[in-house]
Amino acid sequence: MMLLMIGRSKSSSTRRRRILAFRSSALVMAGLLAAILGTVAAGLSASSAMVVFDFIVRARPRISDATRVNLGRAIMVGILILCAILAPGIKSFQGVFGYLVRIWSLLAPPVFVCVVYGIFSKRATSRGAVATLSVGCTLGAVAFWYLGRPDLLESMPVYLRSPLNLGFLITVACGTVMWFGRAKDPVPSAQEVARRETRHDGEVMSPGERLIYRTGLTLLIVVLIGVTFVFSPWGLALFQ
């Protein structure tokens, strides 16, 4: 009888430990999912707002608020679908952290240089920013391809085998490009620029300027699609 009671006690204790472990794991997973959902929601909102206000509204300033909201929602859905399609390619890296380190260390330097130079210098120009982004994205794509070639890594110095070190070199290169692309004189303030660009008829851009803007926007979209394909699993398989 005593042995039976001891056996039941051990079995009950084992069940309690399993239940507690399951509940703890569930709480951890719930917190992790909440953090992921918050990050995804913030990223989608920021991306859609950037596309709508920096590109679409600038080209068509008279669209209604309802149209802007619908466009933002459609862009969010499109970005989410694109990310879901590209997500399986992460398995070719050493975990999610390794993927994020490689991607952001190679693609963030040009954006970082443009933001910092635009905040702390009055001589930053759009031409210098475009050149910096172009050079930085190109170097990042080359470095991304280079890091995916073990045969090339073995023949290079140890310093150049880390994406963080390559990211630092790309940052230096982008800073150099931005420095040479700066204006000789301080750039006018935003109020002065807006006053110069505003026409008497209320138009922000002339027809010629709008044509140039749309052409540049189309080329930018083509470049973004190309970069997305290069970093996708199909692009990686093509270049390997």
Side-chain angles (χ1 to χ4, degrees):
M1 188 67 177
M2 183 65 67
L3 293 176
L4 181 60
M5 293 178 62
I6 293 174
R8 290 180 178 177
S9 177
K10 290 183 178 180
S11 177
S12 177
S13 177
T14 302
R15 284 198 300 269
R16 284 197 298 268
R17 285 198 299 268
R18 290 179 179 177
I19 292 173
L20 289 175
F22 175 77
R23 290 178 178 177
S24 300
S25 301
L27 289 175
V28 172
M29 289 300 298
L32 180 61
L33 289 176
I36 293 175
L37 290 176
T39 303
V40 171
L44 290 175
S45 178
S47 301
S48 62
M50 179 187 66
V51 174
V52 171
F53 288 98
D54 291 348
F55 296 98
I56 299 177
V57 174
R58 183 174 176 82
R60 296 185 177 182
R62 292 189 176 87
I63 60 175
S64 62
D65 293 339
T67 304
R68 298 180 184 182
V69 172
N70 293 330
L71 287 174
R73 292 174 178 173
I75 293 172
M76 290 175 65
V77 173
I79 294 175
L80 186 60
I81 294 175
L82 179 62
C83 293
I85 294 174
L86 298 179
I90 300 177
K91 65 181 180 181
S92 60
F93 298 88
Q94 296 179 351
V96 178
F97 182 75
Y99 169 78
L100 293 176
V101 168
R102 182 180 296 187
I103 288 293
W104 289 115
S105 61
L106 300 179
L107 295 183
V111 180
F112 170 77
V113 171
C114 291
V115 172
V116 172
Y117 206 91
I119 293 175
F120 294 101
S121 176
K122 293 184 178 180
R123 298 187 178 184
T125 61
S126 59
R127 182 176 300 177
V130 171
T132 301
L133 292 173
S134 301
V135 172
C137 291
T138 302
L139 293 177
V142 173
F144 190 89
W145 170 81
Y146 158 78
L147 290 173
R149 297 291 301 273
D151 53 335
L152 295 178
L153 288 177
E154 294 178 356
S155 60
M156 299 300 293
V158 179
Y159 183 83
L160 298 179
R161 299 179 186 179
S162 172
L164 297 177
N165 296 335
L166 291 176
F168 172 75
L169 296 178
I170 294 174
T171 303
V172 174
C174 292
T176 304
V177 173
M178 178 64 81
W179 174 263
F180 283 104
R182 73 188 191 282
K184 296 182 179 180
D185 300 321
V187 179
S189 62
Q191 292 79 7
E192 186 176 353
V193 173
R195 186 169 57 253
R196 291 178 181 178
E197 292 183 351
T198 303
R199 306 293 189 266
H200 295 290
D201 56 357
E203 290 289 339
V204 179
M205 293 186 292
S206 64
E209 292 174 340
R210 181 166 298 179
L211 177 61
I212 295 174
Y213 179 79
R214 290 179 177 177
T215 304
L217 180 60
T218 303
L219 294 176
L220 179 61
I221 293 175
V222 172
V223 171
L224 290 177
I225 294 175
V227 172
T228 303
F229 175 78
V230 169
F231 291 128
S232 66
W234 303 280
L236 295 176
L238 180 64
F239 290 106
Q240 286 181 353

